[in-house]
Amino acid sequence: MTDSTRSVLASLSSPAPTDLRPLSRRYFLQATAAGSSTDGVLVVVTMAGGNDSINTVVPINDSAYVSRRSGLAIPFASTLALDAARGLHPSLPTVKAQWDLGNVAVIEGVGHPSPDLSHFTSMARVMQGSASGGVPTPGWLGRAGDLLGGTDNPFVGVHFGASVPLVMAGQSSQAIAVPERPSGLFRSTTSSVDQRQQQALARIGGSATGLGVMGDELARRGAEAFVVANDLAGSYAAATPAGRLAQPMTLAARFVNANLGVRVVRLLYGDFDHHAEQAAEHADRLAEFDAGLAAFLAALAPAHHRRTVVLTT
């Protein structure tokens, strides 16, 4: 039995260590990400399936809108007027309130010069941030992570979901995928047994396994999963508001508040791919987005309001 094996077995059976600093990257980040409380944060909410933008920001007083939209047109009197030419869908009161405070910008007419009816080609272009339509790697958010120091900061990019999408894949940085609600590793724990196991896995991942390159990589990734989970556990500990988007948006705000070095957060939300009952379905989706934005603003510490931007795509 090697000394490293004895060390692992001891960790699994001995009293929990009183200092878990080797397990937490927060101490590393405090040294390498100094000043992160003033760096900008981008929160991207992707409306999957294709949001109906002209029913989100309505061209009020436009007769062509009414004639061509038929039963889908939003009555002008029902919109939340932004100015003489545009009004918001009535399901967006939080967005309207932020507009009134000067905190919202509407970017219209976004597209590319050679539109394609293929969902796959179009999404590849969106993810890559290029009209070429090639393989969407590195993605535009992944390139942002590269520029923002992703090689030194494991929390530079955070995606809510089971895996990291190509849009967040960088050349030198790698975003992390996290669950939308507390589960598994991300539950806060005070169990001495759990802490000993985490310490043991951290040691396994810090040295050669004797199982080759893949074995070493799996051990390292397994140890890092506990490291990340330990740092994020506090954000999952308290209850979150109900709502399909309110829950992950609240967690996103907590990640920013924790000063872990988070710079880019992405949430995939939908489905906006309406094949029937569009008027009612679209109203529900926008109401859920509005509630999610309200939850995010309520959870975000005031000190971070001016450094944080929420972008919908």
Side-chain angles (χ1 to χ4, degrees):
M1 184 182 297
T2 65
D3 290 341
S4 60
T5 301
R6 290 191 182 91
S7 177
V8 169
L9 292 176
S11 295
L12 290 172
S13 58
S14 62
T18 57
D19 185 1
L20 290 179
R21 290 193 179 192
L23 185 64
S24 174
R25 289 192 179 184
R26 183 173 294 112
Y27 301 97
F28 169 73
L29 290 173
Q30 285 173 345
T32 61
S36 64
S37 61
T38 59
D39 292 334
V41 179
L42 177 64
V43 179
V44 179
V45 180
T46 297
M47 295 175 166
N51 178 40
D52 184 351
S53 60
I54 203 168
N55 267 21
T56 303
V57 181
V58 180
I60 57 178
N61 303 319
D62 187 334
S63 59
Y65 165 77
V66 176
S67 63
R68 297 191 180 193
R69 292 246 104 182
S70 184
L72 284 178
I74 307 294
F76 295 151
S78 299
T79 65
L80 308 175
L82 300 180
D83 51 38
R86 299 171 298 178
L88 289 176
H89 190 287
S91 294
L92 298 171
T94 301
V95 178
K96 174 59 165 62
Q98 290 299 311
W99 171 276
D100 291 342
L101 293 172
N103 294 334
V104 173
V106 175
I107 306 171
E108 298 174 293
V110 177
H112 51 80
S114 302
D116 191 308
L117 296 180
S118 165
H119 291 337
F120 305 101
T121 301
S122 296
M123 284 307 301
R125 287 169 172 163
V126 170
M127 287 187 172
Q128 191 182 58
S130 169
S132 67
V135 177
T137 52
W140 72 275
L141 290 177
R143 295 197 299 274
D146 293 341
L147 294 173
L148 295 171
T151 56
D152 296 325
N153 180 0
F155 297 106
V156 68
V158 177
H159 172 71
F160 283 90
S163 60
V164 177
L166 293 179
V167 69
M168 298 196 77
Q171 290 183 318
S172 60
S173 65
Q174 177 63 57
I176 60 172
V178 298
E180 295 185 357
R181 55 189 57 84
S183 62
L185 294 176
F186 291 86
R187 291 186 185 277
S188 179
T189 177
T190 57
S191 166
S192 60
V193 174
D194 288 346
Q195 291 182 1
R196 288 200 301 271
Q197 290 177 339
Q198 291 181 22
Q199 185 74 10
L201 285 170
R203 290 179 180 176
I204 291 174
S207 59
T209 63
L211 300 175
V213 175
M214 289 300 294
D216 290 347
E217 182 66 10
L218 285 172
R220 185 176 71 84
R221 293 294 185 178
E224 285 185 348
F226 277 102
V227 172
V228 171
N230 189 68
D231 276 336
L232 295 180
S235 297
Y236 286 93
T240 53
R244 292 176 58 190
L245 194 60
Q247 191 166 48
M249 287 290 279
T250 297
L251 290 172
R254 291 177 182 175
F255 293 166
V256 177
N257 293 344
N259 279 328
L260 292 169
V262 172
R263 302 295 302 279
V264 179
V265 181
R266 182 178 184 263
L267 303 95
L268 186 65
Y269 171 65
D271 187 358
F272 285 83
D273 191 7
H274 312 298
H275 291 265
E277 304 290 339
Q278 176 175 326
E281 289 290 325
H282 190 231
D284 288 345
R285 297 294 80 74
L286 290 184
E288 289 166 347
F289 168 75
D290 199 73
L293 179 62
F296 179 81
L297 294 172
L300 189 65
H304 300 299
H305 278 208
R306 303 307 302 178
R307 63 182 286 249
T308 306
V309 172
V310 176
L311 170 69
T312 64
T313 64

